[in-house]
Structures are given as C-alpha cells and as structure tokens.
Amino acid sequence: MKKSLMAVALVGAFAGVAHAQTAVQIYGTIDAGVQKRTGQTLTIGKRASNTLGFKGTEDLGNGLKALFQLEIRYEPDTGTVENGSRPLFQGQSRVGLQGDFGMVRIGRGLTPYQETVGAFEPFHALPHQAGFYTDLAVAGYNSAPLDPAGSSNNRWSNAFWYNTPVVSGFQLNTAIATKENNGGPAIGTLYPVGAQASANPFSVSATYNNGPAAVMLGYERNAVESKVMSIGAAFNATPELKLTALYTRQDQDNILVTLPAGSGAKTNAWVLGANYTMGPGKFLAGYGQKDPDNSFKTKQLSLGYEYSLSKRTYVYVDASRKDGPQSQANRAVDPGAVNFYTIGVNHSF
C-alpha cells in the first residue's frame, strides 16, 4: 500500500514538472540564388532572409504563458553572420508574457509598423531588390537611422511591445523604445558620427481581417523624429487571386538640413500588387512609385514566380526594373533604370 501511494505521489510530481516545462522549437530558412544587376557581375545572393531561430512557451497556469524568441541571421554563401557586422541575434531577441490581456515583450525585434506593412505588398515582405518592402512600401523610411552602418532599417533594440488580443478581427500593436544606441559610433546615412536621439521612438499599427478582406493603418516616429504613415488593403478576389494596395507618406521636416541638396521633407509612395496561385505555382506582380518633394521620382516594376516542390521547399525567379534614385542617400541624383534578375531556391525547416 505504501509503495502504491509513493508511486502515485511520484507520478503526480513528475506530471507537475512536465506541465511547467518549456516547449522549445528550432526553426529556420535557407535561401540562396544567382543574381544579376545592371552594371555588376553575376553574384551569389539571397532573396529572403536566412534565419536560425529558437522559440518557446511555458504554461504558467490560468491562461498565462511565458514566451521567448531568439533569431540569428546569416549569409548563405559564406555562413557568416548577416552583413558581417550585425548582432548575433539580429532578427529577434525577445522575452515576454501572453494571456487574456494580449502579449507583452521586451528586447529586440521588428517594429509593429514594419511588421504590419510587409503583409500589404505583393512580394510578402522579402528584403530583396525585386520586392518593395524596404523602399517604396515605406517611402524610404528608416526605423533606426542612428544605428551603426549596415544595421537593419526595420528593427529596434531596447524596446517594449504590446499586442492586444484579436477581437472581432481587430488588433492593435504598439511599441516604444529607449534612446539607447546599439553601441559603437552611430553612423547613419544622413547623420554625423555621434548623432544623438532627440526622442523616444514609438510605433503603432491597427489591423482588421474579415474573411477575404484585410486593412491596416500604421504610424511610426523614429529617434530623430522622422515620421511615416501607411494605409493598406488586401482582398482575395478569388481563392487563387489576391490583390494588394498600399499608400505611404514620410515626413522629414526635422532633418531637412541634412538631406541632399534640393531635397524636400515629404515623400509620398504607393504600391499596387497581385498574387495568383496556379497549382503548385504562384505568380507575383507589383508596380509602385516613390515621389520625394523636389527630387527625382522612383518607379519600380517587379515580376516573380515561385514553384513549390514540397511544403517546405520552392524555387523562384524574379525580374525587376527600377528607374530613379536607388537609395535615400542619393535621391537627388538620377542614375537611370537598373534591371535586376535572380533565380534560386528557398527551404524552411
């Protein structure tokens, strides 16, 4: 009898330990392809960010969970950390709690604005020259202009996030960051060495999803008080056809003196896109324009095709033509049209 009671007690104890254990998932992607750009030789590159991530949750009871996520970014052709100079956990480094109240997290990650706007351009937020996510979709905006050269333009370190629960299709996503830099000299594209933040950055986005339709409204202010606003819509016209539209306006009144000669403070941009699925294949198409005050207009046309070999592997081919300034730093200089072609393979695990 005593042995039976002891066995029951041990089983109960181990069940409690198992209940409190953290469920950890290892995941990632590897993407590599051959690329050709006007005026440059053939290179090995990537279409999507290459990631190695670790994420997990722990059930704390009463509907409350602890969660964490760490994400490394790396270069597929050399195996080095992305860009060779970025943090080890460049993609994400956050810990938080989730419950009926929503989700709170602290650390490093995409701003709510940047995370939301990527879902409303046709190349599904690929940080690639054939896509629109890093330039036209955000009107050339930079979320972290004072971070060291080569850093990501769409993430914050030293930040706090809050996401509400989804209620009848609505969700509100917010974040605020401190004025801290990532260490080392701050060398922004338009800012002098040692430039300091003048405000706490904050970001907010609101989304609504209702069956085939989705809309978003996003607003963000960075550490030097540049502001960006976007409104986007997506609609599944048929099960095979998805249409997207996005309008963005950036305001740089506060840093006008540091912009290239002849530039204005306001930049308007828009992108129209479509995805069409046919069996295991998907066609991607988009056209957009970026129009800074008193500067050259940028026009971009991009076409792509993805063919799924399995649920986790697809091959792709892209072609893009971009006419006008190729970066924020040289937007007062028009280099003419640049063509970009790529073919490659993407695998997730």
Side-chain angles (χ1 to χ4, degrees), residues 19-40:
H19 177 72
Q21 283 182 341
T22 298
V24 178
Q25 177 186 351
I26 301 175
Y27 68 95
T29 59
I30 181 163
D31 183 294
V34 179
Q35 303 179 345
K36 178 67 174 68
R37 176 185 168 126
T38 299
Q40 297 181 4

Side-chain angles (χ1 to χ4, degrees), residues 43-112:
T43 60
I44 300 296
K46 60 187 179 183
R47 182 187 195 235
S49 296
N50 287 275
T51 62
L52 173 61
F54 310 87
K55 62 182 179 181
T57 61
E58 181 184 14
D59 190 349
L60 302 176
N62 298 317
L64 185 64
K65 294 181 179 180
L67 53 87
F68 79 93
Q69 190 166 3
L70 301 170
E71 192 171 280
I72 299 169
R73 294 293 177 83
Y74 63 93
E75 301 293 0
D77 52 341
T78 63
T80 57
V81 175
E82 191 176 58
N83 276 16
S85 61
R86 294 183 176 179
L88 176 62
F89 294 108
Q90 144 70 12
Q92 189 166 178
S93 175
R94 291 190 283 195
V95 64
L97 297 171
Q98 184 174 16
D100 294 337
F101 57 86
M103 179 168 56
V104 294
R105 290 168 293 173
I106 300 174
R108 172 181 173 81
L110 283 169
T111 72

Side-chain angles (χ1 to χ4, degrees), residues 121-124 236 238-244 273-277 282-285:
E121 64 93 22
F123 279 72
H124 41 81
N236 292 317
T238 70
E240 299 82 16
L241 178 63
K242 178 183 178 181
L243 304 175
T244 60
N275 296 153
Y276 186 78
T277 302
K282 179 187 286 187
F283 295 92
L284 304 89

